[in-house]
Amino acid sequence: MRRLVAATVAALTLYIYLAFMSAQVFNVLVYDESQLMPRDIEPKLVESIVKNTSSYGGARLIPVVISGPGLEDKARSLAALYPNTTSAWSILDEALRLYNEKVAEAVNNATSRFREGALEISNTTAKICGDLARLVEGYREAREKARLLILGTYGAAALGRAVDNKTQQFLEHFRRYVEKYDVDAAIRLAADEVYGNVSRYLANVTWRNWASQAAIDSVTEALLSTRLNRSAIELARVVDAVGVRQYVYLQLLNTTPPAVRPYLPYLVCGGDVDRAVEMFREDLIRNITRSLPPPTISSLPPAATLIYRDRYALALIKTSGDSPEVPPQLGVPVSTSLLLKSFTRVVTEDVSKIDRSTAAALFTVLLMVMGTLLTPVIIVATVGLTYLATLGFIYQIHEIQKTYYLTVYMAAPVIFAIGVDYMLLMASRYAEERAEGRDKTEALAVVRRYANRAIAASAAVVATSLGSFAISRLPFMQSIGIGYLITTAFVVLTVFLVFPAILAALGDFIFWPKKTVALHKGRSRLMERAVATALRRPLLVAAISALATLASFAYLVTTLKVTTNPVVAMPETQYKQALEIAVRYFPNATALSTTYLAMKSPPPPGLLDAVAHLPHFVNYTVEQSGGWYVVSIKLSVEDTSDELLKIYHELDKLRQVYGPFLIGGAAAWKNVIFSEIYVKFWNLQIYVIIGAVFVILSLLLRSFLIPLRLIATVLMSISWSLAAEVFLFQEALGEPTYWLVPVVLFSFLMAVGTDYDIFIITRIREELEGGLDEREAVRRAIVTTGPVITGAAMILAVAFSTLALSQILVLREVGFTIALAALIDAFLIRPLVVPALIVLAGKYNWWWITGYNIKPPAQTKTAPL
């Protein structure tokens, strides 16, 4: 006893010391799988080759998703904050600048040439117009003289009265001559007498036409003929009729280039050249912009690809450092590092929330199962201290053993589930033994013997199943397996050392305020009816369960859709939403991932042509690095996309055609994680787990058939619960099943799903060794352990159902599936299927190396319940 007390005190002291450091573990967790990868795998080798190329680690474009109203204002504000920003509007601004420069250049050149021609036309026509103006002026003077001459002669004669002395003299002479001559002759003779020798100008004027325009024209032409030829006189007459400017304009119209004609009215006769040039410039700009409109976002493909229906826009920030800190009101960067940071924050918040919820829920269930107060308090407190000590220990070894975040995240439900189950079974068995009249020492001895057999077997299976991840060649999966081995070790230490010491110290006081705990009769009666049904019709129960398993398996084969994209499992943060928007609406706007090909010789043209036809291809570059030729392939899918697996397989096929080369970067990492975990799990690890579990259970239970039947019933629970998960999450909620869910589900259920079976089989064996026949032993074992088993199932279900509070999809899926599987296992498999199969197997259940190691007693006895 002293040794037990000393060991317990030492263990509790260690637990408390480690618990104080538990919170620090979240500061050393690794969230990026690529940081926990072996150096000899292909993408690591390529990474060492390409790290000196310009395409690796140099300046890069960080996409920023802009959403909501005011896209342009946000994009311009972002460009003001980061001058190296490219957006639809920066592209438009540059296009408009180039457009305006070209238009201005064309307009200036054309305007300059036009000005030269306009000046020439203006200067040339200024002299012509001056000459014509003088000609017209002489013509008009001659017309006026002609009009006055006709009025002074024919007009005076017609009116018969004078207006001045000259016309008075003319009338006197006219009256004298008209008596002797006709009117026309008299007028001419009188005109010559009074006005001089003017009769020659009136040669074509008669008494009949003197008042016509033709008479004036005739006299005008006669007056001008003394100094002008006939053509000049005709020109003067025409110019006078249409005007000097109009005449010159009409003369130049047919000989002027069409582009200049609209501006001739402003140029002829030394017109306003500046006004004509300005009008030409305005018209030219208008014509150019009409025939060649200025660019818009929709007319510029590079800009159009950066905006989506006025709902979203994408800006690209060029940076050589970390992801830029963009104000959230302007946009959200599409950045893996920022996505992981937000993921880390959510994980830390979720762990605290889920741990508190798990502890509270477990305490409530324990109150219901035990019907007393102190036992749940002690169990939850002990398990909680074990959990904190486990985290503290993981922190202590983080320098030599890096820990992947899922290890810590899943540690809580594992520790709480199996730890509470084990302690509940021990407390219940202690209460049962005390109720049957055994003293404290005898009851503790039975509990320790029971723990050594049932709990040791269960713990060995848990450690084997969950610890099997340690056989992976990937360090981050190794960290999960090692973490669960550590977790199981701490639970075993608590169950075999700390909790027995608590039972020994407290005795019956552990059931305070009650003196002891009675089994739950209601649940016992339910179990008894279920077992009775299975024992009466074992073949029917086995057939129905087999058909249900086959149906669920067929449903999974035809319906299950697995995604390898971890972004699917991440919470709906702004960074995840930004990534989804960028991938969905801007697939070709920028390269979100890079895959490398490294080869010793220059890449053949056929390979490069095939690369250019890969799905989601954006561009590629070819560089040399230390004797290697590196092809950097930019792809429009993110580093985590499922499409990268297809791209890797395409490149792997090209490797067989164009010779050996190494594949690295995003596609290679994707293939490594998928093939080394998912593929190898189903091709190797699952058989290792099943084989190891079979060996462990065979040795502990000393039977060949019981472990096979146990594994088969666990597989039933897995098949049924996974089918329900696919129906709920995939079909009803539209969420794909993350590829780790089936892996984790199988490992966890193979680990913790064997608990109830082991407890029942151990109790059956105990009853058989006590002298009961097989059917009575099965009935008594299941009915007696029924309340505890159902309570343990509820505890396991509650422990994992609290994962539904997580914002991470994979944990919600895992929590739902394992919780449902635990309930199926406890309420269907164990009370119905297990007894049916045991009865059907009969004496072969206990076949061991030496034969039947449990022989029927000579006289069986029936123990009352």
Side-chain angles (χ1 to χ4, degrees):
M1 179 62 71
R2 290 182 179 179
R3 292 180 180 178
L4 177 61
V5 172
T8 303
V9 171
L12 289 174
T13 303
L14 175 63
Y15 278 19
I16 293 171
Y17 168 75
L18 294 174
F20 278 109
M21 291 178 289
S22 60
Q24 300 182 54
V25 74
F26 298 102
N27 299 324
V28 297
L29 297 180
V30 177
Y31 293 86
D32 186 358
E33 298 94 337
S34 64
Q35 296 180 19
L36 294 174
M37 289 292 177
R39 296 181 178 180
D40 60 340
I41 60 175
E42 188 177 29
K44 272 287 187 183
L45 297 175
V46 175
E47 187 176 293
S48 65
I49 294 171
V50 305
K51 64 182 179 181
N52 294 322
T53 62
S54 62
S55 60
Y56 182 83
R60 54 201 178 103
L61 293 176
I62 302 297
V64 177
V65 172
I66 304 170
S67 60
L71 294 179
E72 180 177 356
D73 293 339
K74 292 178 181 178
R76 294 193 181 281
S77 298
L78 188 62
L81 190 62
Y82 294 99
N84 288 330
T85 299
T86 300
S87 67
W89 292 275
S90 66
I91 294 174
L92 177 61
D93 290 345
E94 181 63 16
L96 286 172
R97 184 186 67 79
L98 295 174
Y99 175 84
N100 291 332
E101 284 183 357
K102 293 295 183 182
V103 170
E105 181 181 2
V107 169
N108 290 338
N109 291 337
T111 302
S112 177
R113 293 192 298 269
F114 177 81
R115 181 180 289 277
E116 293 176 1
L119 285 172
E120 183 179 356
I121 292 173
S122 177
N123 293 335
T124 301
T125 57
K127 182 176 183 304
I128 295 173
C129 290
D131 294 340
L132 289 176
R134 288 189 291 274
L135 179 63
V136 169
E137 183 179 0
Y139 177 77
R140 290 176 178 173
E141 290 177 356
R143 282 180 63 83
E144 183 61 20
K145 290 180 179 179
R147 187 182 67 79
L148 293 176
L149 179 59
I150 291 174
L151 288 175
T153 55
Y154 279 93
L159 293 173
R161 57 192 178 95
V163 296
D164 54 20
N165 291 332
K166 285 288 187 181
T167 53
Q168 182 63 38
Q169 293 177 13
F170 172 79
L171 286 174
E172 292 176 356
H173 288 291
F174 172 72
R175 292 188 185 105
R176 189 174 64 249
Y177 286 125
V178 78
E179 294 176 356
K180 297 179 180 180
Y181 304 101
D182 59 25
V183 175
D184 292 325
I187 289 174
R188 289 185 180 87
L189 290 173
D192 287 339
E193 289 284 347
V194 177
Y195 302 113
N197 189 19
V198 296
S199 58
R200 66 180 184 273
Y201 302 130
L202 300 172
N204 294 322
V205 180
T206 65
W207 182 254
R208 292 183 179 180
N209 69 358
W210 70 273
S212 65
Q213 187 66 38
I216 296 175
D217 290 341
S218 176
V219 174
T220 302
E221 185 175 345
L223 289 171
L224 293 172
S225 63
T226 58
R227 44 196 181 88
L228 296 175
N229 58 30
R230 194 169 192 80
S231 298
I233 296 171
E234 181 61 24
L235 176 61
R237 185 186 65 79
V238 173
V239 172
D240 178 61
V242 300
V244 174
R245 294 178 63 86
Q246 186 66 14
Y247 177 81
V248 173
Y249 167 75
L250 292 173
Q251 293 301 309
L252 293 176
L253 191 60
N254 293 328
T255 59
T256 303
V260 182
R261 289 175 188 171
Y263 313 100
L264 273 178
Y266 302 95
L267 298 176
V268 295
C269 303
D272 189 348
V273 175
D274 291 339
R275 173 62 177 159
V277 169
E278 183 62 27
M279 292 181 63
F280 172 81
R281 184 183 187 87
E282 292 174 357
D283 292 343
L284 181 60
I285 292 174
R286 187 163 46 251
N287 292 333
I288 290 177
T289 54
R290 185 184 298 119
S291 59
L292 296 173
T296 62
I297 288 179
S298 59
S299 68
L300 295 170
T305 58
L306 296 180
I307 191 167
Y308 178 78
R309 296 184 180 178
D310 295 329
R311 290 173 54 194
Y312 305 110
L314 196 71
L316 306 174
I317 299 178
K318 188 175 183 180
T319 178
S320 56
D322 295 334
S323 298
E325 295 184 2
V326 177
Q329 66 271 19
L330 297 183
V332 181
V334 180
S335 168
T336 302
S337 62
L338 293 177
L339 185 62
L340 287 176
K341 285 181 181 178
S342 66
F343 184 45
T344 303
R345 184 174 60 253
V346 170
V347 167
T348 304
E349 294 172 354
D350 277 3
V351 166
S352 176
K353 177 175 63 178
I354 291 174
D355 287 351
R356 291 194 301 269
S357 301
T358 302
L362 290 179
F363 181 76
T364 303
V365 174
L366 282 171
L367 284 176
M368 295 171 56
V369 173
M370 300 299 296
T372 186
L373 180 61
L374 187 57
T375 306
V377 171
I378 291 176
I379 291 177
V380 171
T382 305
V383 174
L385 182 61
T386 304
Y387 170 61
L388 295 178
T390 303
L391 298 188
F393 184 80
I394 292 174
Y395 170 74
Q396 284 291 315
I397 65 171
H398 78 273
E399 293 290 347
I400 58 175
Q401 176 61 50
K402 301 294 183 183
T403 303
Y404 189 53
Y405 80 97
L406 276 180
T407 306
V408 169
Y409 212 135
M410 297 296 294
V414 172
I415 291 176
F416 278 98
I418 64 175
V420 171
D421 276 2
Y422 294 165
M423 294 180 200
L424 173 62
L425 288 166
M426 294 174 71
S428 300
R429 187 58 185 268
Y430 177 79
E432 181 183 344
E433 297 302 322
R434 292 288 288 154
E436 290 183 358
R438 292 183 177 88
D439 61 23
K440 175 181 174 182
T441 302
E442 290 176 334
L444 284 173
V446 172
V447 169
R448 293 181 68 86
R449 186 170 60 252
Y450 178 66
N452 289 339
R453 178 179 292 181
I455 296 178
S458 175
V461 173
V462 170
T464 301
S465 184
L466 296 181
S468 65
F469 290 105
I471 67 175
S472 173
R473 66 189 296 251
L474 303 183
F476 87 92
M477 291 303 295
Q478 294 173 10
S479 76
I480 294 177
I482 294 172
Y484 289 138
L485 288 174
I486 294 171
T487 298
T488 307
F490 271 88
V491 172
V492 169
L493 180 62
T494 301
V495 170
F496 281 89
L497 183 61
V498 177
F499 194 70
I502 294 174
L503 279 177
L506 295 180
D508 293 347
F509 184 72
I510 197 173
F511 303 119
W512 183 87
K514 296 182 178 181
K515 292 183 179 181
T516 186
V517 176
L519 297 177
H520 197 293
K521 300 300 182 182
R523 286 198 296 271
S524 296
R525 285 193 292 270
L526 290 175
M527 286 291 172
E528 189 167 8
R529 284 197 291 269
V531 173
T533 301
L535 294 178
R536 281 198 310 271
R537 299 183 177 179
L539 189 59
L540 177 62
V541 172
I544 292 175
S545 61
L547 289 175
T549 303
L550 290 175
S552 63
F553 182 76
Y555 176 75
L556 289 173
V557 170
T558 57
T559 310
L560 177 63
K561 296 177 182 177
V562 175
T563 177
T564 63
N565 191 347
V567 174
V568 174
M570 292 184 180
E572 290 297 324
T573 64
Q574 58 179 344
Y575 299 105
K576 179 181 177 181
Q577 293 171 357
L579 175 61
E580 292 172 345
I581 291 171
V583 171
R584 177 179 298 180
Y585 300 117
F586 308 101
N588 298 316
T590 186
L592 295 176
S593 64
T594 305
T595 295
Y596 301 99
L597 306 182
M599 56 200 72
K600 284 292 187 178
S601 57
L607 173 62
L608 296 179
D609 183 65
V611 165
H613 288 84
L614 287 173
H616 313 288
F617 172 80
V618 176
N619 58 55
Y620 71 79
T621 59
V622 180
E623 299 179 81
Q624 279 189 280
S625 175
W628 290 84
Y629 290 87
V630 178
V631 182
S632 302
I633 308 170
K634 298 292 184 180
L635 302 169
S636 62
V637 292
E638 73 277 18
D639 289 340
T640 58
S641 172
D642 293 331
E643 293 295 308
L644 289 172
L645 283 175
K646 301 177 183 177
I647 292 170
Y648 179 87
H649 293 317
E650 291 292 327
L651 293 173
D652 193 38
K653 293 177 183 177
L654 294 177
R655 181 158 47 187
Q656 301 173 14
V657 177
Y658 295 101
F661 55 79
L662 299 177
I663 305 174
W669 282 122
K670 191 71 176 179
N671 177 70
V672 165
I673 294 175
F674 183 74
S675 61
E676 290 291 335
I677 301 175
Y678 192 74
V679 175
K680 284 193 175 180
F681 180 86
W682 297 111
N683 292 339
L684 173 64
Q685 189 174 344
I686 184 175
Y687 303 109
V688 172
I689 294 174
I690 292 176
V693 168
F694 174 76
V695 171
I696 292 171
L697 294 179
S698 295
L699 293 173
L700 292 174
L701 300 177
R702 302 184 64 80
S703 168
F704 286 136
L705 189 59
I706 291 293
L708 292 177
R709 194 266 314 143
L710 188 153
I711 292 171
T713 53
V714 170
L715 293 177
M716 284 184 183
S717 301
I718 292 173
S719 176
W720 297 359
S721 58
L722 184 58
E725 182 273 332
V726 171
F727 177 79
L728 175 63
F729 284 90
Q730 183 177 301
E731 299 301 306
L733 302 180
E735 298 283 1
T737 300
Y738 190 54
W739 64 284
L740 274 178
V741 171
V743 173
V744 173
L745 174 65
F746 180 87
S747 302
F748 271 64
L749 286 186
M750 189 57 68
V752 300
T754 56
D755 284 0
Y756 313 141
D757 203 304
I758 290 174
F759 301 150
I760 293 173
I761 294 301
T762 303
R763 189 60 180 268
I764 292 174
R765 186 183 184 93
E766 189 176 317
E767 298 296 341
L768 287 171
E769 292 173 348
L772 295 179
D773 64 16
E774 189 171 57
R775 284 181 175 266
E776 184 61 23
V778 169
R779 187 186 67 82
R780 177 177 174 81
I782 295 178
V783 172
T784 302
T785 60
V788 181
I789 294 296
T790 55
M794 292 171 64
I795 288 170
L796 181 62
V798 167
F800 279 93
S801 63
T802 55
L803 293 178
L805 300 174
S806 174
Q807 301 177 60
I808 302 175
L809 174 64
V810 62
L811 294 176
R812 295 200 301 270
E813 293 179 342
V814 167
F816 168 81
T817 311
I818 294 181
L820 178 61
L823 297 176
I824 290 173
D825 198 83
F827 289 95
L828 293 178
I829 299 294
R830 301 309 156 202
L832 288 171
V833 180
V834 168
L837 294 179
I838 290 177
V839 169
L840 289 174
K843 63 181 179 179
Y844 297 103
N845 283 308
W846 310 108
W847 176 258
W848 185 234
I849 296 173
T850 58
Y852 301 106
N853 62 348
I854 298 182
K855 296 181 179 180
Q859 290 183 346
T860 61
K861 64 178 180 178
T862 302
L865 292 177

